[in-house]
Amino acid sequence: MSNLDDTKTSVEKLKAEGNAFHTQGHLEDAILKYTEAIQLDQGNAILYANRSASHLSMKNYLDAACDARQAVVIDPSYTKAWARLAKATHALWQYDQSIKAWKRALETLPVISVSQLSPTDAHFKQQFEEGLKAAEDAHARQVSGESSNPHLVSMNDPSKMPWNRAMALMPELERTQTADSSAWVIVPAYREFNEGVQAMKALRLLPNRSAYGHYGALADITNGILRDRRVFHMDGANWLDQYRNQLAFEITQSGAWVDGGVEHAKRQAENTLREKGWDTARKALAITVRSWFMRAFLEEGARRNARVATQFYGSALTLLEWGQTKWRDVSRDDRGAIFENTFVRGVRRYYLSAYLMGVKDHGDGSVYTLDRAEALALAMVKEVSDNWPRGNEEYVQDRGFYYSFVVYPRAEAYSTLGFVNMERAHACRGTDPETAMRYYSAAAEWYLKAAESYPEDDEFHFYFLKIAFEACWHRADPIRDILPLCQPMQEALQKMRAIWEFSSNKGTMNEHVQQLIYFNEGVFTGLISKLYTLDTPSSLVALHKPE
């Protein structure tokens, strides 16, 4: 038997083992078998399509799309591969690509009347037409929704922007050496973000479809957002187009692997490192991670799409954690800043935020669960606490870095634990009031820890004080115990307005301010009229005006 025959036999054996694992639901084992087979036969479209199917079942949509694309490159008439590409891109909200893939899948079917199709092809035709319609409908909704962008801001009065108000305070903060201020966070975040945006706007597209611009804008933009998400804004209707052009420019310059998933990126990283060294691999890894991060951030913020956001944040995290382990002994200069603990923690912080959005928006527990949110938050608290900086010069020179990558991530984890306990309390208060009270107490404690973590002039200091107050209100604390919480909130409200009066969260904040005012008025009116006493449960005093 020739070596070619031996290889074909090995490939068929590995494929059969992979198919068996896939059928049994052992998807990771199936992927490993298909990968081994592909290493022996890289021109086999079936192997890529089968691995795509396993990735689809695991909801690894990036890798599923990557493998399906490779399958149709090898065999453009491969019906199932086009369908898998369509499904994966639909799950990633890439509806224009999904539409194209569904159409190509339909084109691979025999051009005959439906009555003449085989039962299998007739089933495919119905499935593909339904998928195409779903993608077209979703694409239409997506396009119509892009005209209303919550991040598109008017710069008619720049003095209202939080970063400009904070910059106006900096001379006094520096003179008095006041460390406890969110100005230290938002100012460097804005400067880094703005530097990247200005470089992005300077990009020039050339007639030959190439571009001339500044490489590094993506790093500045993502670094600014990682410092504080509130710095993100679009100051023009074409902002997203400019960003896409910059991203394409930096992908081309770096050779990044953004269209594949984690497994594809791992293979490419190892190959690039072996063949070209760290200078090339470092750039490609950084742009891959940063592009995934930005895709997730835009899905989370502009479209409130937790599914896609967690997919891309999760892919970035998996690649980062793999790299940290694989190259733990490689210097920062070689492997790059993205593998530093603070950068990874920043991405993990955003993953937690997107996951919590999933819990809030899809609260049936089928995909996003309170238990998982709790586990993620506790892991964040432990990781930050275990690596708390002591005398690190970098933090001394950049207070904002300390807040952004140490204090705020743990504070957000605290607030997540507050949310988890509050939701559990709400769920059982009708059937098990005693347990509900314990959950409300835990929620109040976690929210207070979150509030106390933020500088007193940060809007989230006020906000989490207010949510802690609500937990005590639900717990029916007597008025005498809950009134002392109102004064710190009123003081925090005055302090936060210096920077955050016109923030993107002002609608939510104003709603909580009105609730606080309404509660206080209700208490004092009730005490004067003797409707209430100081021992009256606070929950009898309304937080909202009746509608």
Side-chain angles (χ1 to χ4, degrees):
M1 183 179 290
S2 68
N3 290 336
L4 181 61
D5 289 334
D6 287 342
T7 298
K8 288 182 67 175
T9 299
S10 297
V11 167
E12 288 302 315
K13 181 176 181 293
L14 288 166
K15 185 180 78 170
E17 290 173 350
N19 291 347
F21 278 132
H22 182 92
T23 301
Q24 295 164 10
H26 302 311
L27 302 172
E28 291 183 352
D29 291 327
I31 288 169
L32 288 174
K33 291 297 179 182
Y34 294 139
T35 301
E36 289 182 52
I38 288 170
Q39 289 171 348
L40 297 175
D41 185 2
Q42 296 182 14
N44 192 321
I46 294 175
L47 298 176
Y48 285 103
N50 286 6
R51 192 168 68 180
S52 175
S54 295
H55 279 304
L56 266 177
S57 296
M58 292 182 69
K59 299 182 179 179
N60 294 337
Y61 300 119
L62 282 167
D63 280 308
C66 179
D67 280 341
R69 283 193 187 94
Q70 186 60 32
V72 298
V73 166
I74 296 169
D75 181 1
S77 65
Y78 197 164
T79 303
K80 289 183 179 179
W82 282 113
R84 286 165 191 164
L85 178 58
K87 291 177 182 177
T89 50
H90 187 112
L92 292 169
W93 278 38
Q94 296 170 343
Y95 298 126
D96 54 340
Q97 296 182 39
S98 181
I99 290 168
K100 292 176 184 177
W102 283 124
K103 288 180 177 178
R104 290 298 300 270
L106 284 165
E107 290 171 4
T108 64
L109 297 177
V111 186
I112 54 179
S113 66
V114 176
S115 61
Q116 294 178 298
L117 289 172
S118 69
T120 298
D121 285 342
H123 173 72
F124 281 156
K125 181 176 175 61
Q126 180 182 355
Q127 182 187 59
F128 298 168
E129 288 176 343
E130 290 173 353
L132 175 60
K133 185 178 186 309
E136 288 174 336
D137 290 346
H139 185 255
R141 291 193 299 271
Q142 184 184 67
V143 171
S144 65
E146 284 185 350
S147 61
S148 177
N149 193 319
H151 296 291
L152 187 61
V153 300
S154 169
M155 299 295 284
N156 291 336
D157 188 355
S159 66
K160 290 184 177 181
M161 297 297 104
W163 42 88
N164 289 328
R165 294 167 74 92
M167 276 192 271
L169 298 175
M170 289 302 294
E172 181 63 15
L173 293 175
E174 291 169 346
R175 187 187 68 79
T176 59
Q177 297 185 342
T178 302
D180 185 36
S181 174
S182 56
W184 296 109
V185 179
I186 197 66
V187 168
Y190 170 73
R191 285 174 175 160
E192 207 155 4
F193 175 79
N194 186 58
E195 185 172 341
V197 169
Q198 295 310 312
M200 175 185 82
K201 291 181 177 182
L203 183 75
R204 294 294 176 263
L205 301 180
L206 303 177
N208 61 358
R209 304 190 71 177
S210 63
Y212 175 79
H214 173 73
Y215 182 88
L218 182 61
D220 289 334
I221 290 170
T222 51
N223 286 345
I225 294 170
L226 281 165
R227 280 178 176 266
D228 197 303
R229 72 169 61 239
R230 294 169 292 185
V231 79
F232 180 73
H233 63 286
M234 302 180 192
D235 56 1
N238 63 339
W239 197 99
L240 279 176
D241 290 333
Q242 292 175 320
Y243 168 73
R244 292 182 185 114
N245 291 335
Q246 180 69 33
L247 178 61
F249 169 70
E250 297 205 24
I251 289 171
T252 301
Q253 293 291 313
S254 66
W257 321 292
V258 300
D259 291 330
V262 175
E263 296 307 316
H264 175 71
K266 288 179 183 178
R267 293 191 295 271
Q268 292 298 319
E270 291 179 313
N271 291 338
T272 302
L273 184 57
R274 182 170 54 252
E275 296 171 5
K276 300 180 180 179
W278 270 116
D279 283 349
T280 302
R282 179 175 59 253
K283 291 179 181 179
L285 280 163
I287 297 304
T288 299
V289 167
R290 291 180 187 277
S291 69
W292 286 350
F293 172 83
M294 280 300 294
R295 174 68 194 279
F297 177 76
L298 292 170
E299 292 290 349
E300 178 191 5
R303 293 175 178 155
R304 200 171 176 83
N305 187 338
R307 182 181 64 186
V308 176
T310 52
Q311 176 80 31
F312 279 89
Y313 284 142
S315 294
L317 261 182
T318 302
L319 185 59
L320 289 170
E321 290 167 350
W322 170 80
Q324 278 190 313
T325 300
K326 187 171 184 63
W327 300 310
R328 65 165 61 90
D329 297 325
V330 177
S331 70
R332 170 175 173 162
D333 288 343
D334 279 336
R335 69 182 189 177
I338 63 169
F339 294 108
E340 294 298 294
N341 282 339
T342 47
F343 187 96
V344 178
R345 183 185 300 152
V347 177
R348 191 177 291 121
R349 169 190 180 188
Y350 277 80
Y351 178 83
L352 175 60
S353 170
Y355 191 91
L356 191 63
M357 175 189 290
V359 173
K360 293 175 180 178
D361 292 354
H362 310 283
D364 59 2
S366 60
V367 178
Y368 303 96
T369 67
L370 289 173
D371 287 348
R372 173 65 174 156
E374 181 179 49
L376 290 169
L378 288 171
M380 173 73 83
V381 170
K382 184 178 187 306
E383 190 278 325
V384 176
S385 300
D386 288 349
N387 294 283
W388 198 264
R390 290 172 176 82
N392 190 308
E393 186 65 22
E394 184 175 18
Y395 297 124
V396 173
Q397 294 178 351
D398 187 345
R399 293 188 182 97
F401 191 90
Y402 168 71
Y403 277 123
S404 294
F405 294 100
V406 180
V407 177
Y408 281 27
R410 190 168 71 169
E412 289 186 20
Y414 286 156
S415 69
T416 298
L417 293 168
F419 172 83
V420 167
N421 281 279
M422 189 84 97
E423 289 299 298
R424 288 172 174 165
H426 291 337
C428 70
R429 67 178 302 166
T431 56
D432 189 352
E434 186 176 343
T435 299
M437 293 305 109
R438 288 199 296 271
Y439 281 134
Y440 282 131
S441 294
E445 291 177 12
W446 286 119
Y447 277 126
L448 279 173
K449 286 174 75 74
E452 292 166 356
S453 299
Y454 289 96
E456 291 184 356
D457 64 359
D458 194 303
E459 59 185 341
F460 288 126
H461 175 70
F462 163 79
Y463 177 74
F464 290 125
L465 281 177
K466 168 58 167 54
I467 306 301
F469 166 87
E470 288 182 26
C472 296
W473 179 86
H474 283 294
R475 195 174 58 189
D477 285 9
I479 288 175
R480 73 169 66 251
D481 291 344
I482 209 168
L483 273 181
L485 296 176
C486 295
Q487 184 61 32
M489 281 190 285
Q490 291 167 348
E491 293 173 357
L493 180 61
Q494 295 304 315
K495 291 179 180 179
M496 80 159 191
R497 282 176 170 159
I499 296 174
W500 302 102
E501 184 175 5
F502 301 102
S503 84
S504 58
N505 297 312
K506 66 181 179 181
T508 299
M509 296 301 170
N510 287 341
E511 182 179 329
H512 284 284
V513 169
Q514 292 306 312
Q515 290 176 8
L516 181 61
I517 293 172
Y518 192 73
F519 175 83
N520 278 331
E521 289 176 349
V523 166
F524 288 110
T525 300
L527 289 174
I528 291 171
S529 65
K530 301 193 182 304
L531 176 63
Y532 305 140
T533 71
L534 290 176
D535 294 319
T536 299
S538 55
S539 56
L540 295 179
V541 185
L543 288 177
H544 308 269
K545 290 183 179 180
E547 296 182 3

